[in-house]
Amino acid sequence: MVQKAKILLVDDRPENLLALEAILSALDQTLVRASSGEEALKALLTDDFAVILLDVQMPGMDGFETAAHIKRRERTRDIPIIFLTAINHGPHHTFRGYAAGAVDYISKPFDPWVLRAKVSVFVELYMKNCQLREQAALLRLQLEGGGKTAVGEAKEPAGLLAELSARLAAVEEQAEALSKQLDDESADAAAVATAAHLERKLTGLRRALDALEPGTGSGAPSVPSQN
């Protein structure tokens, strides 16, 4: 069973959170509410999120300040942030949102279809990254365990490499399809950059697997970091 991605919704108005849940429910992911910047930061201490929808105008810690805290933390700095605001103070206000680390800046009232489409892209990128981390972890486990299966039985090297290669190929195919989709839809630059980063990590993992093929040299290659 594929684990659902978590989407963090941050707004001090309950009716706005309810509206966001109604819009994003079709994505069939886990929606987590936060009614303040402080509450959002607490949620980010324990859970991993695919994307954050962050209201700009909140009492106490506003969206800009909340985003600044998120980007300062190593654990959360790479989570995409979409700013939502009911006011429009012109280019300077928008620039401040991007400067705070947002990947997008949407004024209310917004088109529900557009918002759902933008969020779905980041959810899909997050899921592909999770798959890549799982494949890298499996490769490390197999290398460190000398090619043993989960039940402790030794597996033929050729069979092990074929299994790992097939699993990686499935992720590569999905990532390639996603990249083509982003190109066709003229997606946000941040989404395209994230997809390119995913492809680079896939390339590194594929090279590590190829180095294990007979006749390519001895010794276990280092598996690329997934940070």
Side-chain angles (χ1 to χ4, degrees), residues 143-165:
L143 292 175
E144 293 169 1
K148 292 184 178 180
T149 64
V151 295
E153 297 177 351
K155 191 168 186 177
E156 289 295 327
L160 171 61
L161 290 176
E163 178 183 343
L164 290 174
S165 182

Side-chain angles (χ1 to χ4, degrees), residues 2-8 29-30 32 44 46-52 75-76 78-80 118-134 171 174-175 178 182 190-191 194-195 197-198 201 226:
V2 179
Q3 188 174 1
K4 294 183 179 181
K6 292 183 179 180
I7 302 170
L8 183 58
Q29 304 299 327
T30 302
V32 179
L44 289 162
T46 55
D47 290 324
D48 294 324
F49 291 90
V51 61
I52 302 170
R75 174 188 172 93
T76 59
D78 294 326
I79 302 177
K118 289 178 179 291
V119 171
S120 68
V121 168
F122 289 107
V123 167
E124 193 166 356
L125 286 170
Y126 173 81
M127 300 297 285
K128 296 298 181 292
N129 271 295
C130 288
Q131 289 180 324
L132 179 57
R133 284 195 296 268
E134 289 173 1
V171 181
Q174 294 171 347
L178 178 59
L182 290 174
T194 304
H197 181 55
L198 173 62
K201 292 194 291 184
Q226 302 307 308

Side-chain angles (χ1 to χ4, degrees), residues 174-184 195-196 199:
Q174 294 171 347
E176 182 179 0
L178 178 59
S179 295
K180 289 181 179 179
Q181 177 185 343
L182 290 174
D183 290 338
D184 293 340
E199 288 190 339

